[in-house]
Amino acid sequence: MSNPETVYELYYWPSIQGRGELIRLLLEDAGAPYRDVARLPPEQGGGVPAILRMLKEPPPGAPPFAPPILKAGDLVLAQVANICQFLGPRLGLVPGDEGSRAHALQLQLTIADLVAEVHDTHHPISSALYYEDQQEAARERAASFLAQRLPKFLGYFERAAAGSPYLLGSAHSYVDLSMFQVLEGLAYAFPRGFEGAAVTIPSLLALRQRVAERPGVAAYLASERRLPFNEDGIFRRYPELDAASS
Ligand SMILES: N[C@@H](CCC(=O)N[C@@H](CS)C(=O)NCC(=O)O)C(=O)O
């Protein structure tokens, strides 16, 4: 379990939910003490420079490639799924048995795949180019995502959730929190496409509601700490990339 003294430090871009939200939701659900470092004022060591310092001069150990980055005591970790599998046992957000932990990671890595494909709907050529410079390709990529990939991913997660309250059966876990965020993001980014898909995922929609009602999550969503979705994050609402209206 967590050292009661540990105040976790999250390093993530301060103006977007992005992948950082998948970590914030764990910390908030569990009521764990944490500092969202880049959202602190620069005079308190915050702002984007704090992230850049962490990337440029990381403490000893495997250096992080990109945010989100979690600092827990002396340990610095990157990669969302890796951070989740580290925090899960500490925050009581994964069952204790080996099989459940491995299945949690399997589901989380598949969520990472889905998140990457959502990102690629607006940046299909390169993350280093502006959306406006790859808009044609983005239209094609988004249409294919909504027609083929999204139903395949959602069908998979629906099967995983069916018949149980949570993705890992009767136990709530960090995977539920990430699934909640992905469903919120999809509904924001692709209101028409998601509405079409929603009829096929009753178990996931029930899960989304169950997570939203968890006390830590509900308090967080109602707070100023929850940034709104915007067009700099992963889930962007570009009407031209959504499904056509029926
Ligand atoms: N697979 C990584 C992806 C990390 C990532 O792409 N982070 C973005 C923000 S959401 C970033 O800042 N990337 C900078 C880069 O790739 O150069 C994870 O799941 O954490």
Side-chain angles (χ1 to χ4, degrees):
M1 287 300 281
S2 173
N3 176 344
E5 303 293 312
T6 303
V7 177
Y8 296 100
E9 289 190 348
L10 173 67
Y11 291 76
Y12 193 69
W13 307 117
S15 58
I16 59 171
Q17 292 185 9
R19 289 181 174 88
E21 201 66 8
L22 302 173
I23 309 304
R24 290 190 186 108
L25 279 168
L26 267 69
L27 297 162
E28 293 280 351
D29 182 56
Y34 78 103
R35 285 161 25 103
D36 205 337
V37 177
R39 292 182 68 187
L40 297 172
E43 51 282 12
Q44 289 178 35
V48 170
I51 302 176
L52 302 181
R53 274 195 303 276
M54 181 57 94
L55 289 169
K56 208 169 155 204
E57 294 158 17
F65 176 75
I69 300 163
L70 182 83
K71 189 166 184 297
D74 291 336
L75 191 59
V76 170
L77 298 174
Q79 291 286 350
V80 169
N82 183 41
I83 296 171
C84 287
Q85 68 89 33
F86 170 80
L87 283 177
R90 292 179 151 231
L91 302 183
L93 285 173
V94 73
D97 63 288
E98 189 180 38
S100 295
R101 288 190 185 190
H103 281 149
L105 185 55
Q106 174 181 320
L107 290 162
Q108 191 67 35
L109 287 165
T110 310
I111 288 175
D113 290 344
L114 170 54
V115 168
E117 292 203 25
V118 171
H119 168 272
D120 290 351
T121 61
H122 49 78
H123 280 76
I125 308 285
S126 170
S127 301
L129 294 174
Y130 290 112
Y131 166 62
E132 289 71 19
D133 296 332
Q134 48 193 316
Q135 203 170 353
E136 274 307 301
R139 281 177 192 265
E140 269 189 56
R141 183 68 184 255
S144 167
F145 172 75
L146 290 175
Q148 272 99 34
R149 300 297 289 170
L150 183 61
K152 184 168 181 179
F153 274 110
L154 290 181
Y156 167 75
F157 287 115
E158 175 67 18
R159 288 196 300 283
S164 308
Y166 300 108
L167 278 161
L168 289 182
S170 57
H172 169 62
S173 73
Y174 63 77
V175 185
D176 302 317
L177 297 166
S178 291
M179 197 68 240
F180 164 81
Q181 176 63 13
V182 166
L183 294 170
E184 290 291 303
L186 290 168
Y188 172 79
F190 304 105
R192 293 192 297 266
F194 187 72
E195 193 182 24
V199 290
T200 66
I201 53 165
S203 308
L204 291 180
L205 294 183
L207 176 71
R208 177 188 183 191
Q209 186 61 30
R210 208 167 281 128
V211 170
E213 289 170 3
R214 291 181 62 80
V217 173
Y220 171 59
L221 296 179
S223 76
E224 288 186 355
R225 298 189 301 286
R226 171 76 166 182
L227 296 163
F229 284 106
N230 62 37
E231 281 52 67
D232 293 318
I234 305 273
F235 296 98
R236 303 185 183 194
R237 181 174 288 183
Y238 292 137
E240 63 274 19
L241 300 188
D242 197 0
S245 50
S246 47

